[in-house]
Amino acid sequence: DSYPQIQGDLMLKHLAVPAGVMLIVGLIGAAAALAGGATNTGLTVAIVCFLPAVWAPLSGAVITTLMGAPEPFKDGQLLPPEVAGMKIALRAAWPLIVSVLGTVPVVVAHRTDLDGNEPAAAAAQAATFVLVIVAFTGAWVKYREPARLWWRSFLDQGQQAQRERQQSRGTR
């Protein structure tokens, strides 16, 4: 907070190193797969699936880290159990869901290959979907604080307008 820079920009800059490390880890995995004797189709699918498989888990980790611990009065602990339980479960599951999305292109390619179709094209479509989710995560990292402030101000304005309406009804 003492650093004179927008928090979202600073957090986004911090993602460069983990993204690079995940690329190196992914390259090690790709080298191991190539050593196992990949076919041309397998190599094509591996290239298409590389970035989603590497960056989706990073996105899940980023979501977990930036969400932080739940705040008792803000994150639903005081809501009725039916509502609070769902909110807490979604909060815990969302990063895991984003992380696992990185495997979707591989599964789609495998299923498409079993059906006798071209797996690389199907994997590319699924990879595009996953990379869009990764991009949304990056946008969330950058704009989450301004969006949160806007939402609070929007709710405060609505509450103020409701108070004014109630006061005007009481004076009539």
Side-chain angles (χ1 to χ4, degrees):
D1 287 341
S2 66
Y3 192 74
Q5 187 173 6
I6 298 171
Q7 185 181 16
D9 292 339
L10 183 63
M11 294 297 176
L12 203 58
K13 287 177 184 177
H14 283 318
L15 290 180
V17 172
V21 169
M22 289 302 292
L23 285 174
I24 292 168
V25 169
L27 288 173
I28 292 169
L34 286 175
T39 64
N40 285 340
T41 303
L43 185 60
T44 305
V45 170
I47 290 170
V48 168
C49 296
F50 181 75
L51 287 180
V54 169
W55 283 344
L58 176 65
S59 295
V62 166
I63 291 169
T64 298
T65 303
L66 289 182
M67 277 193 329
E71 297 179 33
F73 296 104
K74 293 182 182 177
D75 290 329
Q77 278 83 357
L78 298 178
L79 294 172
E82 300 82 13
V83 177
M86 182 69 77
K87 185 173 182 180
I88 292 169
L90 182 62
R91 180 182 168 87
W94 179 245
L96 180 62
I97 292 168
V98 171
S99 295
V100 172
L101 280 176
T103 63
V104 168
V106 176
V107 173
V108 167
H110 177 69
R111 185 68 217 165
T112 305
D113 190 43
L114 289 177
D115 291 342
N117 297 323
E118 177 58 36
Q125 289 176 347
T128 302
F129 168 73
V130 174
L131 289 175
V132 166
I133 300 296
V134 169
F136 279 142
T137 302
W140 176 75
V141 167
K142 182 174 173 97
Y143 297 110
R144 72 187 178 91
E145 285 303 317
R148 182 178 293 152
L149 292 173
W150 173 83
W151 183 249
R152 283 185 190 150
S153 119
F154 179 74
L155 291 178
D156 290 343
Q157 289 173 1
Q159 290 173 349
Q160 180 64 29
Q162 184 178 9
R163 277 189 232 114
E164 290 172 2
R165 283 193 303 271
Q166 287 174 348
Q167 288 175 353
S168 69
R169 289 182 193 154
T171 58
R172 289 182 186 176

